[in-house]
Amino acid sequence: FMKRRKTWSRYPPGPASLPFIGTMFSIDFRNPHRSFGQLQEKFGNIFSLQNCWTNVVVLNGYKTVKEALVHKSDDFADRPHFAIYEHMGYGKNCEGIVVARYGHVWKELRRFTLSTLRNFGMGKKSLEERVVEEAGFLCSEIESEEGKSFDIHVRLNNAICNMICNIVFGDRFDYGDETFKKLSQLFQNSLDEETGFLPQLLNVVPILVRIPGVAQKLFRAQRELMDFIDVAIDKHRKTRDPAYTRDITDVFLKEMEKGKAAEENGFHYNNLRLVTLDLFTAGSETTSTSLRWALLYMLLHPEIQSKVQAEIDKVIGRERPPSMMDQASLPYTNAVIHEVQRCGDVVPVALPHMTYRDTELQGFFIPKGTTIITNLSSVLKDETVWEKPNEFYPEHFLDAKGQFVKPEAFLPFSAGRRACPGEQLARMELFLFFTTLLQKFTFVLPEDQPRPQEDGHFALINSPHPFLLRALPR
Ligand code: HEM
């Protein structure tokens, strides 16, 4: 293999590789985006790594990432194999969406998810109405704290998870529900289980994860999450009325009834549980963590919070619930939400891609089957694009007249074939929850609490360190 790599004369440069382990010791897998930043300074925007015998190429900066994901979308659309998920039933044509190989079944399941999300609520309560309703429940819950200092983390998770739960199972959890508390902990633990050196090693040396007992021991939370999904689907099947579709699960079950062709397109029971798990894992923590960053930035920048509230008061007032129609009339609020996503940098290294065929990028040769890391953090903080890349500066999204503008390097949802299919939903949730919260409350730091840290904690997702706040009714 080393010989082969040497014959690729235009292969991207990278740090020296050790026998067997490759360059794995060059990366802090608990902080990969920081390690990538250091290597970018040394080797440039495109550099190579070697996880044991797996070739990895890291892409940095807006220009490079855009060229790969947008201009050569097909070439970079595959995903590598993740051995650490095999124990949950992943296999050929049975991979859900998030980690599925680029091909027919992935395309069908992704199309199904996008169109079902888009058509959601036709004839019934629209998705927007559901978000507004949930934001109202969240406000009542916050009010019950009566201005005392508290940690808002679990309640935000509860609110956002309820949206996915609603879409997938037509159900929600009351705030404080014990099952939800357990579920929330499982989400967190499963992200932790998938982060760090060991899971990386197991992915590139799959034989280790196939040793009996290893997966059971290392991925307990993942397995419990899957058990939760299995029970929920089972309950759903028993209460189903084929004449009536309540949610995505019912639409999927209906597809499954179409027979062999549908099965070949990926609509079978195992994919139902994996797609469901995908929607929960990809759609909850990402959005609720973004909202947590939003409130943290409001605590740290009270003058920005006041400007947002003044704009909301002027356009919506204090009583009428916000709607998506208001977005165009709230340029400053919109800019603040976008800046939260840029600075919060919630998915800093996205998900690994893999080259689908031999390809070239800025003069470098990248062979088929190379794992590709798109360092989204380096795009959202690209010094050649953003005026103040490392500061919270909503003006990044405003023109000279105060109108909202979105620079092309705003890529928190990635781009191209594998771009996040939940972007529309996430943007609606962020806008409606954030404006409702700031319409009803002023968030302040408790007097006895030190200034919260602005850097994040990485476990696939970049989240704020725990902090307390007080919510003063307006
Ligand atoms: C993939 C970001 C919310 C479903 C992704 C990716 C990113 C991302 C960076 C990887 C794209 C790539 O591989 O290049 C975010 C952020 C969110 C968010 C920042 C919230 C603020 C959601 C929601 C859903 C969702 C609400 C579902 C309802 C998915 C799925 C994928 C994905 C299914 C895999 C797509 C594929 O491989 O084809 N997301 N996401 N995400 N996201 Fe999101």
Side-chain angles (χ1 to χ4, degrees), residues 141-154:
E141 203 33 48
I142 294 176
E143 235 163 49
S144 71
E145 289 293 336
E146 297 175 333
K148 293 198 278 290
S149 85
F150 72 107
D151 185 347
I152 201 163
H153 184 165
V154 177

PDB file of all heavy atoms in Angstrom, residues 141-154:
ATOM      1  N   GLU A 141     -43.113  26.387  30.333  1.00  0.00           N
ATOM      2  CA  GLU A 141     -42.180  25.629  31.158  1.00  0.00           C
ATOM      3  C   GLU A 141     -41.115  26.567  31.752  1.00  0.00           C
ATOM      4  O   GLU A 141     -40.784  26.483  32.935  1.00  0.00           O
ATOM      5  CB  GLU A 141     -41.540  24.605  30.208  1.00  0.00           C
ATOM      6  CG  GLU A 141     -40.943  23.367  30.713  1.00  0.00           C
ATOM      7  CD  GLU A 141     -41.556  22.739  31.913  1.00  0.00           C
ATOM      8  OE1 GLU A 141     -42.784  22.584  31.971  1.00  0.00           O
ATOM      9  OE2 GLU A 141     -40.762  22.367  32.807  1.00  0.00           O
ATOM     10  N   ILE A 142     -40.613  27.481  30.928  1.00  0.00           N
ATOM     11  CA  ILE A 142     -39.576  28.408  31.394  1.00  0.00           C
ATOM     12  C   ILE A 142     -40.166  29.371  32.434  1.00  0.00           C
ATOM     13  O   ILE A 142     -39.530  29.710  33.437  1.00  0.00           O
ATOM     14  CB  ILE A 142     -38.981  29.186  30.193  1.00  0.00           C
ATOM     15  CG1 ILE A 142     -38.234  28.216  29.270  1.00  0.00           C
ATOM     16  CG2 ILE A 142     -38.055  30.298  30.649  1.00  0.00           C
ATOM     17  CD1 ILE A 142     -37.693  28.835  27.998  1.00  0.00           C
ATOM     18  N   GLU A 143     -41.421  29.771  32.193  1.00  0.00           N
ATOM     19  CA  GLU A 143     -42.092  30.690  33.124  1.00  0.00           C
ATOM     20  C   GLU A 143     -42.163  30.096  34.520  1.00  0.00           C
ATOM     21  O   GLU A 143     -42.054  30.794  35.517  1.00  0.00           O
ATOM     22  CB  GLU A 143     -43.517  30.925  32.623  1.00  0.00           C
ATOM     23  CG  GLU A 143     -43.846  32.398  32.422  1.00  0.00           C
ATOM     24  CD  GLU A 143     -45.084  32.523  31.541  1.00  0.00           C
ATOM     25  OE1 GLU A 143     -46.094  31.835  31.828  1.00  0.00           O
ATOM     26  OE2 GLU A 143     -44.992  33.250  30.570  1.00  0.00           O
ATOM     27  N   SER A 144     -42.330  28.749  34.557  1.00  0.00           N
ATOM     28  CA  SER A 144     -42.486  28.093  35.864  1.00  0.00           C
ATOM     29  C   SER A 144     -41.212  28.214  36.708  1.00  0.00           C
ATOM     30  O   SER A 144     -41.224  27.926  37.895  1.00  0.00           O
ATOM     31  CB  SER A 144     -42.898  26.626  35.682  1.00  0.00           C
ATOM     32  OG  SER A 144     -41.790  25.900  35.177  1.00  0.00           O
ATOM     33  N   GLU A 145     -40.102  28.629  36.127  1.00  0.00           N
ATOM     34  CA  GLU A 145     -38.859  28.839  36.888  1.00  0.00           C
ATOM     35  C   GLU A 145     -38.885  30.173  37.638  1.00  0.00           C
ATOM     36  O   GLU A 145     -38.022  30.452  38.472  1.00  0.00           O
ATOM     37  CB  GLU A 145     -37.643  28.797  35.960  1.00  0.00           C
ATOM     38  CG  GLU A 145     -37.314  27.419  35.416  1.00  0.00           C
ATOM     39  CD  GLU A 145     -36.842  26.435  36.485  1.00  0.00           C
ATOM     40  OE1 GLU A 145     -36.341  26.881  37.537  1.00  0.00           O
ATOM     41  OE2 GLU A 145     -37.007  25.221  36.265  1.00  0.00           O
ATOM     42  N   GLU A 146     -39.852  31.017  37.318  1.00  0.00           N
ATOM     43  CA  GLU A 146     -40.082  32.310  37.998  1.00  0.00           C
ATOM     44  C   GLU A 146     -38.821  33.171  38.118  1.00  0.00           C
ATOM     45  O   GLU A 146     -38.531  33.719  39.182  1.00  0.00           O
ATOM     46  CB  GLU A 146     -40.689  32.065  39.386  1.00  0.00           C
ATOM     47  CG  GLU A 146     -42.046  31.399  39.290  1.00  0.00           C
ATOM     48  CD  GLU A 146     -42.615  31.024  40.644  1.00  0.00           C
ATOM     49  OE1 GLU A 146     -41.817  30.803  41.583  1.00  0.00           O
ATOM     50  OE2 GLU A 146     -43.851  30.958  40.738  1.00  0.00           O
ATOM     51  N   GLY A 147     -38.023  33.205  37.065  1.00  0.00           N
ATOM     52  CA  GLY A 147     -36.851  34.096  37.044  1.00  0.00           C
ATOM     53  C   GLY A 147     -35.660  33.591  37.833  1.00  0.00           C
ATOM     54  O   GLY A 147     -34.634  34.273  37.923  1.00  0.00           O
ATOM     55  N   LYS A 148     -35.786  32.377  38.409  1.00  0.00           N
ATOM     56  CA  LYS A 148     -34.636  31.827  39.160  1.00  0.00           C
ATOM     57  C   LYS A 148     -33.604  31.268  38.174  1.00  0.00           C
ATOM     58  O   LYS A 148     -33.921  31.018  37.008  1.00  0.00           O
ATOM     59  CB  LYS A 148     -35.113  30.707  40.093  1.00  0.00           C
ATOM     60  CG  LYS A 148     -36.003  31.224  41.223  1.00  0.00           C
ATOM     61  CD  LYS A 148     -36.111  30.242  42.353  1.00  0.00           C
ATOM     62  CE  LYS A 148     -37.112  29.156  42.128  1.00  0.00           C
ATOM     63  NZ  LYS A 148     -38.518  29.456  42.144  1.00  0.00           N
ATOM     64  N   SER A 149     -32.374  31.039  38.666  1.00  0.00           N
ATOM     65  CA  SER A 149     -31.366  30.547  37.725  1.00  0.00           C
ATOM     66  C   SER A 149     -31.532  29.033  37.500  1.00  0.00           C
ATOM     67  O   SER A 149     -31.830  28.289  38.436  1.00  0.00           O
ATOM     68  CB  SER A 149     -29.961  30.923  38.197  1.00  0.00           C
ATOM     69  OG  SER A 149     -29.491  29.998  39.097  1.00  0.00           O
ATOM     70  N   PHE A 150     -31.393  28.609  36.262  1.00  0.00           N
ATOM     71  CA  PHE A 150     -31.576  27.184  35.937  1.00  0.00           C
ATOM     72  C   PHE A 150     -30.819  26.843  34.659  1.00  0.00           C
ATOM     73  O   PHE A 150     -30.367  27.725  33.923  1.00  0.00           O
ATOM     74  CB  PHE A 150     -33.074  26.842  35.797  1.00  0.00           C
ATOM     75  CG  PHE A 150     -33.732  27.389  34.555  1.00  0.00           C
ATOM     76  CD1 PHE A 150     -34.083  26.553  33.501  1.00  0.00           C
ATOM     77  CD2 PHE A 150     -33.998  28.745  34.437  1.00  0.00           C
ATOM     78  CE1 PHE A 150     -34.688  27.051  32.360  1.00  0.00           C
ATOM     79  CE2 PHE A 150     -34.606  29.257  33.284  1.00  0.00           C
ATOM     80  CZ  PHE A 150     -34.948  28.410  32.250  1.00  0.00           C
ATOM     81  N   ASP A 151     -30.677  25.520  34.421  1.00  0.00           N
ATOM     82  CA  ASP A 151     -30.023  25.031  33.215  1.00  0.00           C
ATOM     83  C   ASP A 151     -31.123  24.686  32.200  1.00  0.00           C
ATOM     84  O   ASP A 151     -31.961  23.825  32.472  1.00  0.00           O
ATOM     85  CB  ASP A 151     -29.194  23.780  33.571  1.00  0.00           C
ATOM     86  CG  ASP A 151     -28.377  23.284  32.386  1.00  0.00           C
ATOM     87  OD1 ASP A 151     -28.640  23.736  31.256  1.00  0.00           O
ATOM     88  OD2 ASP A 151     -27.472  22.447  32.594  1.00  0.00           O
ATOM     89  N   ILE A 152     -31.084  25.316  31.039  1.00  0.00           N
ATOM     90  CA  ILE A 152     -32.183  25.163  30.068  1.00  0.00           C
ATOM     91  C   ILE A 152     -31.980  23.973  29.117  1.00  0.00           C
ATOM     92  O   ILE A 152     -32.861  23.627  28.335  1.00  0.00           O
ATOM     93  CB  ILE A 152     -32.345  26.476  29.263  1.00  0.00           C
ATOM     94  CG1 ILE A 152     -33.736  26.564  28.632  1.00  0.00           C
ATOM     95  CG2 ILE A 152     -31.233  26.635  28.232  1.00  0.00           C
ATOM     96  CD1 ILE A 152     -34.125  27.943  28.188  1.00  0.00           C
ATOM     97  N   HIS A 153     -30.823  23.329  29.263  1.00  0.00           N
ATOM     98  CA  HIS A 153     -30.388  22.283  28.323  1.00  0.00           C
ATOM     99  C   HIS A 153     -31.472  21.218  28.043  1.00  0.00           C
ATOM    100  O   HIS A 153     -31.897  21.030  26.910  1.00  0.00           O
ATOM    101  CB  HIS A 153     -29.110  21.656  28.903  1.00  0.00           C
ATOM    102  CG  HIS A 153     -28.486  20.643  28.008  1.00  0.00           C
ATOM    103  ND1 HIS A 153     -27.209  20.184  28.182  1.00  0.00           N
ATOM    104  CD2 HIS A 153     -28.945  19.973  26.932  1.00  0.00           C
ATOM    105  CE1 HIS A 153     -26.931  19.309  27.255  1.00  0.00           C
ATOM    106  NE2 HIS A 153     -27.959  19.156  26.495  1.00  0.00           N
ATOM    107  N   VAL A 154     -31.925  20.531  29.102  1.00  0.00           N
ATOM    108  CA  VAL A 154     -32.833  19.393  28.875  1.00  0.00           C
ATOM    109  C   VAL A 154     -34.170  19.869  28.296  1.00  0.00           C
ATOM    110  O   VAL A 154     -34.777  19.207  27.449  1.00  0.00           O
ATOM    111  CB  VAL A 154     -33.041  18.587  30.174  1.00  0.00           C
ATOM    112  CG1 VAL A 154     -34.034  17.452  29.949  1.00  0.00           C
ATOM    113  CG2 VAL A 154     -31.718  17.997  30.638  1.00  0.00           C
TER     114      VAL A 154
END
